[in-house]
Amino acid sequence: MGKILVTGGAGFIGSHTCVELLDAGYEVVVMDNLSNSKEAVIQRIEKIAGKPVDFFKGDICCAEDCETVFSQFAIDAVVHFAGYKAVGESVEKPLMYYNNNIGGSVTLLEAMQKHNCKRIVFSSSATVYGMNNEAPYTEDMPTSATNPYGYTKVMIEQILRDVCVSDGDFSAVALRYFNPIGAHKSGLLGEDPNGIPNNLVPYIAKVASGKLECLGVFGDDYDTPDGTGVRDYIHVTDLAKGHVCAIDYAMKNKGFEAVNLGTGNGSSVLQVVEAYEKACGKAIPKKITPRRAGDIAVSYADASKALELFGWSAKADINEMCEDSWNFTKLNPAGII
Ligand code: NAD
Ligand code: UD1
């Protein structure tokens, strides 16, 4: 069917996507510098899929590394996850983010161009809807950002649009993820952040497993049914399947498309806590704290374009997402080692 280069394929979303690509019949080459992941993930992907993965430890910012991969393997298309993703860190170290995320994407695209590889699926984010649009977000809304991480996503989307204008044979799909959570059903793959998590569900998982004491709920005075922030949480396996659809689409179509991957439904912080308590059978201690700077009240997708273009829709509900997150957390007390 084709050989897919997955940059950042050892990471949280990339690893789940490798499994789904292999299941769909694609061959997979992973290029990852392991800056935020472990090589053991590769064996876990192979174990679940029952198929081999070619792993190349390399950096997308390094033209030589990109050249090695494209000359060693006949790559038909790229799924591009590699990048840094912590909003707060991007404010502290903007140049590191612009260099790795934007610089790395440009270097990767140059290698693709040189080797005549003209299909890419890129990890964008709902963060590109900024602060001035109202949910449900549709892909035609204006994009903006409030921090360097967000600007890298806005900018890389623009770079992909420009490459498609310059080359009518090029195909680029920017997938705008909402809030990916959960883990692979096997318990072998999941989210394993270093240090204290910034995101809600990884933080709850650490409280549930006794590693952190209490969840801070960032504000209960938003204009939402229970006052806490509402987000469109999506199971990482549903998200991963969306990438297979996007690759299938990119194989047959040309030009640039931005596509939301979300469920189209929102859950509040308190609803997520309740679902997690049900999944793990324990109470999650919590206290209301001030709002986090930069947070918005409500974010959820209009998910109709993905259904129209790909025939894709998300299946898992918030209970299943929390059950699978807890299963992974229980089975991997020290993370993936
Ligand atoms: P992750 O950190 O688990 O995975 C990213 C992978 O890229 C890691 O394995 C890391 O080692 C690798 N990497 C980073 N820089 C690299 C480089 N220069 N060369 C090679 N490898 C490199 O993150 P994730 O949650 O799987 O996210 C994947 C992508 O999706 C990122 O681009 C992220 O910005 C985007 N995204 C994530 C979320 C989310 O909530 N997780 C939401 C929206 C968008
Ligand atoms: C955050 C990023 C976003 C990024 C996304 C995925 C910010 C401002 N936004 O989105 O750019 O694309 O992660 O990586 O950082 N919450 C708590 N307590 C916590 C953690 C979170 O109450 O300890 C609340 C938040 O206020 C929010 C919800 O939980 O209402 C979800 O937060 P989070 O998981 O961090 O995702 P986003 O803020 O949507």
Side-chain angles (χ1 to χ4, degrees), residues 7-15 31-38 56-62 65 80-86 99-101 104 122-127 149 152-153 175-181 190-192 199 236 239 243:
T7 73
F12 172 47
I13 307 170
S15 58
M31 178 179 184
D32 199 304
N33 65 1
L34 304 179
S35 57
N36 197 35
S37 53
K38 306 266 167 56
F56 179 82
K57 184 167 183 248
D59 195 314
I60 56 159
C61 298
C62 172
D65 284 355
H80 176 30
F81 294 100
Y84 296 146
K85 63 167 182 176
N99 186 41
N100 195 49
N101 293 11
F122 169 63
S123 299
S124 189
S125 166
T127 196
Y149 168 73
T152 70
K153 296 300 179 192
L175 296 175
R176 296 176 176 167
Y177 312 152
F178 281 69
N179 290 58
I181 61 166
E191 198 169 8
D192 179 19
N199 299 117
V236 64
L239 194 74
H243 290 73

Side-chain angles (χ1 to χ4, degrees), residues 87 125 127 179 198-200 216-218 229 231 233 269 292 295:
V87 172
S125 166
T127 196
N179 290 58
N198 297 308
N199 299 117
L200 179 64
V217 175
F218 297 157
R231 297 289 183 276
Y233 297 94
V269 174
R292 177 171 67 182
D295 274 357

Side-chain angles (χ1 to χ4, degrees), residues 30-104:
V30 169
M31 178 179 184
D32 199 304
N33 65 1
L34 304 179
S35 57
N36 197 35
S37 53
K38 306 266 167 56
E39 193 169 344
V41 167
I42 305 297
Q43 286 85 54
R44 292 182 177 215
I45 296 168
E46 290 176 326
K47 190 170 173 194
I48 296 169
K51 292 178 185 168
V53 169
D54 282 305
F55 176 63
F56 179 82
K57 184 167 183 248
D59 195 314
I60 56 159
C61 298
C62 172
E64 235 175 32
D65 284 355
C66 291
E67 177 59 30
T68 305
V69 171
F70 280 94
S71 44
Q72 201 170 323
F73 302 98
I75 304 292
D76 295 293
V78 177
V79 186
H80 176 30
F81 294 100
Y84 296 146
K85 63 167 182 176
V87 172
E89 187 183 51
S90 81
V91 176
E92 284 158 30
K93 300 175 183 168
L95 298 180
M96 187 174 106
Y97 271 67
Y98 289 127
N99 186 41
N100 195 49
N101 293 11
I102 300 184

Side-chain angles (χ1 to χ4, degrees), residues 131-197:
M131 310 278 276
N132 301 322
N133 292 304
E134 205 173 307
Y137 298 134
T138 52
E139 291 84 350
D140 55 359
M141 287 176 168
T143 59
S144 64
T146 51
N147 55 68
Y149 168 73
Y151 278 113
T152 70
K153 296 300 179 192
V154 170
M155 192 60 210
I156 296 163
E157 284 198 5
Q158 187 58 43
I159 291 169
L160 294 174
R161 252 184 228 106
D162 293 340
V163 170
C164 288
V165 169
S166 74
D167 179 350
D169 282 336
F170 207 89
S171 173
V173 181
L175 296 175
R176 296 176 176 167
Y177 312 152
F178 281 69
N179 290 58
I181 61 166
H184 195 267
K185 283 264 176 282
S186 63
L188 288 170
L189 299 174
E191 198 169 8
D192 179 19
N194 295 326
I196 296 178

Side-chain angles (χ1 to χ4, degrees), residues 167-303:
D167 179 350
D169 282 336
F170 207 89
S171 173
V173 181
L175 296 175
R176 296 176 176 167
Y177 312 152
F178 281 69
N179 290 58
I181 61 166
H184 195 267
K185 283 264 176 282
S186 63
L188 288 170
L189 299 174
E191 198 169 8
D192 179 19
N194 295 326
I196 296 178
N198 297 308
N199 299 117
L200 179 64
V201 171
Y203 200 104
I204 295 176
K206 290 242 189 269
V207 175
S209 54
K211 295 198 173 103
L212 290 171
E213 267 176 26
C214 180
L215 170 74
V217 175
F218 297 157
D220 67 349
D221 56 352
Y222 285 105
D223 186 13
T224 61
D226 65 20
T228 66
V230 168
R231 297 289 183 276
D232 186 342
Y233 297 94
I234 173 168
H235 196 295
V236 64
T237 295
D238 278 332
L239 194 74
K241 290 181 198 289
H243 290 73
V244 178
C245 296
I247 279 289
D248 291 343
Y249 178 86
M251 293 290 193
K252 294 184 208 116
N253 297 275
K254 297 177 198 315
F256 175 84
E257 291 290 349
V259 182
N260 290 339
L261 292 185
T263 65
N265 299 309
S267 303
S268 73
V269 174
L270 296 180
Q271 284 173 322
V272 175
V273 171
E274 200 185 319
Y276 215 98
E277 287 178 332
K278 218 174 357 163
C280 72
K282 309 177 201 182
I284 304 291
K286 59 180 184 297
K287 63 170 189 286
I288 309 298
T289 64
R291 291 180 177 192
R292 177 171 67 182
D295 274 357
I296 49 171
V298 179
S299 161
Y300 61 94
D302 178 323

